[in-house]
Amino acid sequence: GNSVTQMEGPVTLSEEAFLTINCTYTATGYPSLFWYVQYPGEGLQLLLKATKADDKGSNKGFEATYRKETTSFHLEKGSVQVSDSAVYFCALSTLMDSNYQLIWGAGTKLIIKP
Amino acid sequence: DGGITQSPKYLFRKEGQNVTLSCEQNLNHDAMYWYRQDPGQGLRLIYYSQIVNDFQKGDIAEGYSVSREKKESFPLTVTSAQKNPTAFYLCASSPGHPRSYSNQPQHFGDGTRLSIL
């Protein structure tokens, strides 16, 4: 079946460090892939997306490349800030019962220390 | 500003009581969703609706009910049959019909935190 696997958290980094949060997926067909961010006590916000193989999504210094050969969509940022502390969710869009649904990873908590 | 409004932000339920969580959107989106989030876990789909007067069960619909009488509104009732309702509930919407737009992101409200008294 379709699934999304994210690296377990929490991930703790110092400010200005390089960030990678791994996300791999299992899906039939050609899903669209998304990264969402959730700040404490809030809902989820779309961070970036990619809709086909080799697409690179980017936003706010974050990037992720849709790698079909490795079924991955790893999130990266070159220099993190304290304000990036949040929970990050990877998700894929898949056709289920004739409707497109999002399949979610478990989330990765990111803690950035000053 | 367009967006999704969930209310209340915090809600307490007594044993045997039904409670209703409100979700309103002014994004003119056709599809709406309810998710449950437990601490340290991902999102689980409770119900979704593609169009007014139509909705489908998600993965964990037992103990919950919904209605979709208006395009902009998708209230969720947590019934007394839901024995473990303590969680963070998130409402979301997306544009167009779900069958047509696989790359359309979902937009989320700020959530309602439900606890048992």
Coordinates of all heavy atoms in Angstrom, one line a residue, chain A residues 15-94:
Chain A
E15 N 22.0 26.7 15.7 CA 21.7 27.7 14.7 C 22.8 27.7 13.7 O 24.0 27.6 14.0 CB 21.6 29.1 15.4 CG 20.7 30.0 14.7 CD 20.3 31.2 15.5 OE1 21.0 31.5 16.5 OE2 19.3 31.9 15.2
E16 N 22.4 27.9 12.4 CA 23.3 28.0 11.2 C 23.8 26.6 10.8 O 24.5 26.5 9.8 CB 24.5 28.9 11.5 CG 24.0 30.4 11.7 CD 25.2 31.3 11.9 OE1 26.3 30.9 11.7 OE2 24.9 32.5 12.2
A17 N 23.3 25.6 11.4 CA 23.7 24.2 10.9 C 23.0 23.8 9.7 O 21.9 24.5 9.4 CB 23.5 23.2 12.0
F18 N 23.5 22.8 9.0 CA 22.8 22.3 7.8 C 21.8 21.2 8.2 O 22.0 20.4 9.1 CB 23.8 21.6 6.9 CG 23.2 21.1 5.6 CD1 23.1 22.0 4.5 CD2 22.8 19.8 5.4 CE1 22.5 21.6 3.3 CE2 22.2 19.4 4.2 CZ 22.1 20.3 3.2
L19 N 20.6 21.3 7.6 CA 19.5 20.4 8.0 C 19.1 19.5 6.9 O 19.0 19.9 5.7 CB 18.2 21.3 8.3 CG 16.9 20.5 8.4 CD1 16.9 19.7 9.7 CD2 15.7 21.4 8.4
T20 N 19.0 18.2 7.2 CA 18.3 17.2 6.4 C 17.3 16.5 7.2 O 17.7 15.9 8.2 CB 19.4 16.2 5.8 OG1 20.3 17.0 5.0 CG2 18.7 15.2 4.9
I21 N 16.1 16.4 6.7 CA 15.1 15.5 7.2 C 14.7 14.5 6.1 O 14.2 14.9 5.1 CB 13.8 16.3 7.7 CG1 14.2 17.3 8.8 CG2 12.8 15.3 8.3 CD1 13.1 18.1 9.4
N22 N 14.9 13.2 6.4 CA 14.7 12.2 5.4 C 13.2 11.9 5.3 O 12.5 11.7 6.3 CB 15.5 11.0 5.7 CG 17.0 11.2 5.5 OD1 17.4 12.1 4.8 ND2 17.8 10.4 6.1
C23 N 12.8 11.6 4.0 CA 11.4 11.2 3.8 C 11.5 10.2 2.6 O 12.1 10.6 1.5 CB 10.5 12.3 3.4 SG 8.9 11.8 2.8
T24 N 11.0 9.0 2.8 CA 10.9 8.1 1.7 C 9.4 7.6 1.6 O 8.7 7.7 2.5 CB 11.8 6.8 1.9 OG1 11.4 6.2 3.1 CG2 13.2 7.2 1.9
Y25 N 9.1 7.2 0.4 CA 7.7 6.9 0.2 C 7.5 5.6 -0.6 O 8.4 5.1 -1.3 CB 6.9 8.0 -0.5 CG 7.4 8.2 -1.9 CD1 6.8 7.5 -3.0 CD2 8.4 9.1 -2.2 CE1 7.2 7.7 -4.3 CE2 8.9 9.2 -3.5 CZ 8.3 8.6 -4.6 OH 8.7 8.7 -5.8
T26 N 6.3 5.0 -0.5 CA 5.9 3.8 -1.3 C 4.6 4.2 -1.9 O 3.7 4.6 -1.2 CB 5.7 2.6 -0.4 OG1 7.0 2.3 0.3 CG2 5.3 1.4 -1.2
A27 N 4.5 4.1 -3.2 CA 3.3 4.5 -3.9 C 3.2 3.9 -5.3 O 4.3 3.7 -5.9 CB 3.2 6.0 -4.0
T28 N 2.0 3.7 -5.7 CA 1.9 3.3 -7.1 C 1.6 4.6 -7.9 O 1.1 5.6 -7.4 CB 0.7 2.3 -7.3 OG1 -0.5 3.0 -6.7 CG2 0.9 1.0 -6.5
G29 N 2.0 4.5 -9.2 CA 1.8 5.7 -10.0 C 2.7 6.8 -9.8 O 3.9 6.6 -9.3
Y30 N 2.3 8.0 -9.9 CA 3.1 9.2 -9.8 C 2.5 10.2 -8.9 O 1.8 11.1 -9.3 CB 3.3 9.8 -11.2 CG 3.9 8.8 -12.2 CD1 3.0 8.0 -13.0 CD2 5.3 8.6 -12.3 CE1 3.6 7.1 -13.9 CE2 5.8 7.7 -13.2 CZ 4.9 6.9 -14.0 OH 5.4 6.0 -14.8
P31 N 2.8 10.0 -7.6 CA 2.1 10.9 -6.6 C 2.8 12.3 -6.6 O 3.9 12.4 -7.1 CB 2.4 10.2 -5.3 CG 3.7 9.5 -5.5 CD 3.6 9.0 -6.9
S32 N 2.0 13.3 -6.2 CA 2.6 14.6 -5.8 C 3.1 14.5 -4.4 O 2.6 13.7 -3.6 CB 1.6 15.7 -5.9 OG 1.2 15.8 -7.3
L33 N 4.2 15.2 -4.1 CA 4.8 15.1 -2.8 C 4.8 16.5 -2.1 O 5.0 17.5 -2.8 CB 6.2 14.6 -2.9 CG 6.4 13.2 -3.5 CD1 7.8 12.9 -3.7 CD2 5.7 12.2 -2.6
F34 N 4.7 16.5 -0.8 CA 4.5 17.8 -0.1 C 5.3 17.7 1.2 O 5.5 16.7 1.8 CB 3.1 18.0 0.3 CG 2.1 18.0 -0.8 CD1 1.5 16.8 -1.2 CD2 1.7 19.1 -1.4 CE1 0.6 16.7 -2.3 CE2 0.8 19.1 -2.5 CZ 0.2 17.9 -2.9
W35 N 5.8 18.9 1.7 CA 6.3 19.1 3.0 C 5.4 20.2 3.7 O 5.2 21.3 3.1 CB 7.8 19.6 3.0 CG 8.7 18.4 3.0 CD1 9.4 18.0 1.9 CD2 9.1 17.6 4.1 NE1 10.2 16.9 2.2 CE2 10.1 16.6 3.5 CE3 8.8 17.5 5.4 CZ2 10.6 15.6 4.3 CZ3 9.3 16.5 6.2 CH2 10.3 15.6 5.7
Y36 N 4.9 19.9 4.9 CA 4.2 20.8 5.7 C 4.9 21.1 7.0 O 5.7 20.2 7.4 CB 2.8 20.2 6.0 CG 1.8 20.3 5.0 CD1 1.7 19.3 3.9 CD2 0.8 21.3 4.9 CE1 0.8 19.3 2.9 CE2 -0.2 21.3 3.9 CZ -0.2 20.3 3.0 OH -1.1 20.4 2.0
V37 N 4.7 22.3 7.5 CA 5.3 22.6 8.8 C 4.2 23.0 9.8 O 3.2 23.6 9.5 CB 6.3 23.8 8.6 CG1 5.7 25.0 8.1 CG2 7.0 24.1 10.0
Q38 N 4.4 22.5 11.1 CA 3.5 22.8 12.1 C 4.2 23.5 13.3 O 5.1 22.8 13.9 CB 2.8 21.6 12.6 CG 1.7 21.8 13.7 CD 1.0 20.6 14.1 OE1 1.6 19.5 14.2 NE2 -0.3 20.7 14.4
Y39 N 3.9 24.8 13.5 CA 4.5 25.5 14.7 C 3.7 25.1 15.9 O 2.5 24.8 15.8 CB 4.6 27.0 14.4 CG 5.5 27.3 13.3 CD1 4.9 27.6 12.0 CD2 6.9 27.2 13.4 CE1 5.8 27.9 10.9 CE2 7.7 27.5 12.3 CZ 7.1 27.8 11.1 OH 7.9 28.1 10.0
P40 N 4.2 25.3 17.1 CA 3.5 24.8 18.3 C 2.1 25.4 18.5 O 2.0 26.7 18.3 CB 4.5 25.3 19.4 CG 5.8 25.3 18.8 CD 5.6 25.7 17.4
G41 N 1.2 24.6 18.7 CA -0.2 25.0 18.9 C -1.0 25.5 17.7 O -2.0 26.1 17.8
E42 N -0.4 25.3 16.5 CA -1.0 25.8 15.3 C -1.4 24.6 14.4 O -1.0 23.5 14.6 CB -0.1 26.8 14.6 CG 0.2 28.0 15.4 CD 1.1 29.0 14.6 OE1 1.3 28.8 13.4 OE2 1.5 30.0 15.3
G43 N -2.1 25.0 13.3 CA -2.3 24.0 12.2 C -1.1 23.9 11.4 O 0.0 24.4 11.6
L44 N -1.3 23.1 10.3 CA -0.2 22.9 9.3 C -0.2 23.9 8.2 O -1.2 24.4 7.8 CB -0.4 21.5 8.7 CG 0.2 20.3 9.5 CD1 -0.7 20.1 10.8 CD2 0.2 19.1 8.7
Q45 N 1.0 24.2 7.8 CA 1.2 25.2 6.7 C 2.0 24.4 5.6 O 2.9 23.8 5.9 CB 2.0 26.4 7.1 CG 1.4 27.2 8.2 CD 2.3 28.3 8.6 OE1 3.1 28.8 7.9 NE2 2.2 28.8 9.9
L46 N 1.6 24.6 4.3 CA 2.3 24.0 3.2 C 3.7 24.7 3.2 O 3.8 26.0 3.1 CB 1.6 24.2 1.9 CG 2.3 23.7 0.7 CD1 2.4 22.2 0.7 CD2 1.6 24.2 -0.6
L47 N 4.7 24.0 3.1 CA 6.1 24.5 3.0 C 6.6 24.5 1.6 O 7.0 25.5 1.0 CB 7.0 23.7 3.9 CG 8.5 24.2 4.0 CD1 8.6 25.7 4.5 CD2 9.3 23.3 4.9
L48 N 6.4 23.3 0.9 CA 6.8 23.2 -0.5 C 6.2 22.0 -1.1 O 5.7 21.1 -0.3 CB 8.3 23.2 -0.7 CG 9.1 22.2 0.1 CD1 9.2 20.9 -0.5 CD2 10.5 22.8 0.4
K49 N 6.2 21.9 -2.4 CA 5.6 20.7 -3.0 C 6.4 20.4 -4.3 O 7.1 21.3 -4.9 CB 4.2 20.9 -3.3 CG 3.8 21.9 -4.4 CD 2.3 21.9 -4.7 CE 2.1 22.8 -5.9 NZ 0.6 22.9 -6.3
A50 N 6.2 19.2 -4.8 CA 6.8 18.8 -6.1 C 5.8 17.8 -6.7 O 5.3 16.9 -6.1 CB 8.2 18.1 -6.0
T51 N 5.6 18.0 -8.0 CA 4.5 17.2 -8.6 C 5.0 16.1 -9.6 O 4.2 15.3 -10.0 CB 3.5 18.1 -9.4 OG1 4.3 18.9 -10.4 CG2 2.9 19.1 -8.4
K52 N 6.3 16.1 -10.0 CA 6.8 15.1 -10.8 C 8.2 14.8 -10.6 O 8.9 15.7 -9.9 CB 6.5 15.4 -12.3 CG 7.2 16.7 -12.8 CD 6.8 17.0 -14.2 CE 7.6 18.1 -14.8 NZ 7.3 19.4 -14.2
A53 N 8.7 13.7 -11.1 CA 10.1 13.3 -10.8 C 11.1 14.4 -11.3 O 10.9 15.1 -12.3 CB 10.4 12.0 -11.6
D54 N 12.1 14.6 -10.4 CA 13.2 15.6 -10.6 C 12.8 17.0 -10.3 O 13.6 17.9 -10.4 CB 13.8 15.5 -12.0 CG 14.4 14.1 -12.2 OD1 15.0 13.5 -11.3 OD2 14.3 13.6 -13.3
D55 N 11.5 17.3 -10.0 CA 11.1 18.6 -9.6 C 11.7 18.9 -8.3 O 11.9 18.1 -7.4 CB 9.6 18.6 -9.4 CG 8.8 19.1 -10.6 OD1 9.5 19.4 -11.6 OD2 7.6 19.2 -10.5
K56 N 12.1 20.2 -8.1 CA 12.6 20.7 -6.9 C 11.6 21.7 -6.3 O 11.3 22.7 -7.0 CB 14.0 21.3 -7.0 CG 14.5 21.9 -5.7 CD 15.8 22.6 -5.9 CE 17.0 21.7 -6.0 NZ 18.3 22.3 -6.0
G57 N 11.1 21.5 -5.1 CA 10.3 22.4 -4.5 C 11.1 23.3 -3.5 O 12.1 22.8 -2.9
S58 N 10.8 24.6 -3.4 CA 11.6 25.4 -2.5 C 10.8 26.5 -1.9 O 9.8 27.0 -2.6 CB 12.8 26.0 -3.2 OG 12.4 26.8 -4.3
N59 N 11.1 26.9 -0.7 CA 10.4 28.0 0.0 C 11.2 28.3 1.3 O 11.6 27.4 2.0 CB 9.0 27.6 0.3 CG 8.1 28.7 0.9 OD1 8.4 29.9 0.6 ND2 7.1 28.3 1.6
K60 N 11.3 29.6 1.6 CA 11.9 30.1 2.8 C 13.3 29.4 3.1 O 13.6 29.2 4.2 CB 11.0 29.8 4.0 CG 9.6 30.4 3.9 CD 8.8 30.1 5.1 CE 7.4 30.8 5.0 NZ 6.5 30.4 6.2
G61 N 14.0 29.1 2.0 CA 15.4 28.6 2.2 C 15.3 27.0 2.3 O 16.4 26.4 2.3
F62 N 14.2 26.4 2.4 CA 14.1 25.0 2.4 C 13.9 24.5 0.9 O 13.4 25.1 0.1 CB 12.8 24.5 3.2 CG 12.9 24.8 4.6 CD1 12.5 25.9 5.2 CD2 13.4 23.8 5.5 CE1 12.5 26.2 6.6 CE2 13.4 24.0 6.8 CZ 13.0 25.2 7.4
E63 N 14.5 23.3 0.7 CA 14.4 22.6 -0.6 C 14.1 21.2 -0.5 O 14.6 20.5 0.6 CB 15.7 22.8 -1.4 CG 16.1 24.2 -1.8 CD 17.3 24.2 -2.6 OE1 18.1 23.3 -2.5 OE2 17.6 25.2 -3.3
A64 N 13.5 20.6 -1.5 CA 13.3 19.1 -1.5 C 13.2 18.7 -3.0 O 12.5 19.4 -3.7 CB 12.1 18.7 -0.7
T65 N 13.9 17.6 -3.4 CA 13.8 17.2 -4.7 C 13.1 15.8 -4.8 O 13.4 14.9 -4.1 CB 15.3 17.1 -5.3 OG1 15.9 18.3 -5.3 CG2 15.2 16.6 -6.8
Y66 N 12.2 15.7 -5.7 CA 11.4 14.5 -6.0 C 12.3 13.5 -6.7 O 12.6 13.6 -7.9 CB 10.2 14.9 -6.8 CG 9.2 13.9 -7.1 CD1 7.9 14.3 -7.5 CD2 9.4 12.5 -6.9 CE1 6.9 13.4 -7.7 CE2 8.4 11.6 -7.1 CZ 7.1 12.0 -7.5 OH 6.1 11.1 -7.8
R67 N 12.8 12.5 -6.0 CA 13.7 11.5 -6.6 C 12.9 10.2 -6.7 O 12.7 9.4 -5.8 CB 14.9 11.2 -5.6 CG 15.7 12.4 -5.3 CD 16.6 12.8 -6.5 NE 17.5 13.9 -6.1 CZ 18.1 14.6 -7.0 NH1 17.9 14.5 -8.3 NH2 19.0 15.6 -6.6
K68 N 12.5 9.9 -8.0 CA 11.7 8.7 -8.2 C 12.6 7.4 -8.1 O 12.1 6.4 -7.6 CB 11.1 8.7 -9.6 CG 10.0 7.7 -9.8 CD 9.1 8.0 -11.0 CE 8.2 6.8 -11.2 NZ 7.3 6.6 -10.1
E69 N 13.8 7.5 -8.5 CA 14.7 6.3 -8.5 C 15.0 5.8 -7.0 O 15.2 4.6 -6.8 CB 16.0 6.6 -9.2 CG 16.9 7.7 -8.6 CD 16.5 9.1 -9.0 OE1 15.5 9.3 -9.5 OE2 17.4 10.0 -8.7
T70 N 15.0 6.8 -6.1 CA 15.2 6.4 -4.7 C 13.9 6.5 -3.9 O 14.0 6.3 -2.6 CB 16.3 7.2 -4.0 OG1 16.0 8.6 -4.2 CG2 17.6 6.9 -4.7
T71 N 12.8 6.8 -4.5 CA 11.5 7.1 -3.8 C 11.7 8.0 -2.6 O 11.3 7.6 -1.5 CB 10.8 5.8 -3.5 OG1 11.5 5.0 -2.6 CG2 10.4 5.0 -4.8
S72 N 12.4 9.1 -2.8 CA 12.7 10.0 -1.6 C 12.3 11.4 -1.9 O 12.2 11.9 -3.1 CB 14.1 9.9 -1.3 OG 14.9 10.4 -2.3
F73 N 12.1 12.2 -0.9 CA 11.8 13.6 -0.9 C 12.4 14.3 0.3 O 11.7 14.8 1.1 CB 10.3 13.8 -1.0 CG 9.8 15.1 -1.4 CD1 10.3 15.8 -2.6 CD2 8.8 15.8 -0.7 CE1 9.8 17.0 -3.0 CE2 8.4 17.1 -1.1 CZ 8.9 17.7 -2.2
H74 N 13.7 14.3 0.5 CA 14.3 14.7 1.7 C 14.3 16.3 1.7 O 14.6 17.0 0.7 CB 15.8 14.3 1.7 CG 15.9 12.8 1.6 ND1 15.1 11.9 2.2 CD2 16.9 12.1 0.9 CE1 15.5 10.7 1.9 NE2 16.6 10.7 1.1
L75 N 14.0 16.8 2.9 CA 14.0 18.2 3.1 C 15.3 18.7 3.6 O 15.9 18.1 4.5 CB 12.9 18.5 4.2 CG 12.7 20.0 4.5 CD1 12.0 20.7 3.3 CD2 11.8 20.2 5.8
E76 N 15.8 19.8 3.0 CA 17.1 20.4 3.3 C 17.0 21.9 3.5 O 16.2 22.6 2.9 CB 18.1 20.0 2.2 CG 18.4 18.6 2.0 CD 19.4 18.3 1.0 OE1 19.6 19.1 0.1 OE2 20.1 17.2 1.0
K77 N 17.9 22.4 4.4 CA 18.1 23.8 4.5 C 19.6 24.1 4.9 O 20.1 23.4 5.7 CB 17.2 24.4 5.5 CG 17.3 26.0 5.6 CD 16.3 26.6 6.5 CE 16.3 28.1 6.4 NZ 15.4 28.8 7.4
G78 N 20.1 25.0 4.2 CA 21.6 25.3 4.4 C 22.0 25.8 5.7 O 23.1 25.5 6.2
S79 N 21.1 26.7 6.3 CA 21.5 27.3 7.6 C 20.2 27.6 8.4 O 19.4 28.5 8.0 CB 22.2 28.7 7.3 OG 22.5 29.4 8.5
V80 N 20.0 26.8 9.4 CA 18.7 26.9 10.1 C 18.8 28.0 11.2 O 19.8 28.4 11.7 CB 18.4 25.5 10.8 CG1 18.0 24.5 9.7 CG2 19.5 25.0 11.7
Q81 N 17.6 28.5 11.5 CA 17.4 29.5 12.5 C 16.6 29.0 13.7 O 15.8 28.0 13.5 CB 16.8 30.7 11.9 CG 17.5 31.3 10.7 CD 18.9 31.7 11.0 OE1 19.2 32.3 12.0 NE2 19.9 31.3 10.2
V82 N 16.6 29.6 14.8 CA 15.8 29.2 15.9 C 14.3 29.2 15.5 O 13.5 28.3 16.0 CB 16.0 30.1 17.1 CG1 15.0 29.8 18.2 CG2 17.4 30.0 17.6
S83 N 13.9 30.1 14.7 CA 12.5 30.2 14.3 C 12.1 29.0 13.4 O 10.9 28.9 13.1 CB 12.3 31.5 13.5 OG 13.2 31.6 12.4
D84 N 13.0 28.2 13.0 CA 12.6 27.0 12.2 C 12.2 25.9 13.1 O 11.8 24.8 12.6 CB 13.8 26.6 11.3 CG 14.2 27.5 10.2 OD1 13.2 28.2 9.7 OD2 15.4 27.7 9.9
S85 N 12.3 26.0 14.4 CA 11.9 25.0 15.3 C 10.4 24.7 15.1 O 9.6 25.6 15.3 CB 12.2 25.4 16.8 OG 13.6 25.6 17.0
A86 N 10.1 23.5 14.8 CA 8.7 23.1 14.5 C 8.6 21.6 14.2 O 9.6 20.9 14.3 CB 8.2 23.9 13.3
V87 N 7.4 21.1 13.9 CA 7.3 19.7 13.4 C 7.1 19.7 11.9 O 6.3 20.5 11.4 CB 6.1 19.0 14.1 CG1 6.1 17.6 13.7 CG2 6.3 19.0 15.6
Y88 N 7.8 18.9 11.2 CA 7.8 18.9 9.8 C 7.2 17.5 9.3 O 7.5 16.5 9.8 CB 9.2 19.0 9.2 CG 9.7 20.4 9.4 CD1 10.3 20.8 10.6 CD2 9.6 21.4 8.4 CE1 10.7 22.1 10.9 CE2 10.0 22.7 8.7 CZ 10.6 23.0 9.9 OH 11.1 24.3 10.1
F89 N 6.2 17.6 8.4 CA 5.5 16.5 7.9 C 5.7 16.3 6.4 O 5.5 17.3 5.7 CB 4.0 16.6 8.2 CG 3.5 16.5 9.6 CD1 3.4 17.7 10.4 CD2 3.3 15.3 10.2 CE1 3.0 17.6 11.7 CE2 2.9 15.2 11.5 CZ 2.8 16.4 12.3
C90 N 6.0 15.1 6.0 CA 6.1 14.8 4.6 C 4.8 14.1 4.2 O 4.2 13.3 5.1 CB 7.3 13.8 4.4 SG 7.6 13.4 2.7
A91 N 4.3 14.3 3.0 CA 3.0 13.7 2.6 C 3.0 13.5 1.1 O 3.7 14.1 0.4 CB 1.8 14.6 3.0
L92 N 2.2 12.5 0.7 CA 2.0 12.2 -0.7 C 0.6 12.2 -1.0 O -0.3 11.8 -0.2 CB 2.7 10.9 -1.2 CG 2.2 9.6 -0.7 CD1 1.1 9.1 -1.6 CD2 3.4 8.6 -0.7
S93 N 0.3 12.6 -2.3 CA -1.1 12.6 -2.7 C -1.3 11.3 -3.6 O -0.6 11.1 -4.5 CB -1.4 13.8 -3.6 OG -2.7 13.8 -4.1
T94 N -2.3 10.5 -3.2 CA -2.6 9.3 -3.9 C -4.0 9.1 -4.2 O -4.9 9.6 -3.5 CB -2.0 8.1 -3.1 OG1 -2.1 6.9 -3.8 CG2 -2.8 8.0 -1.8

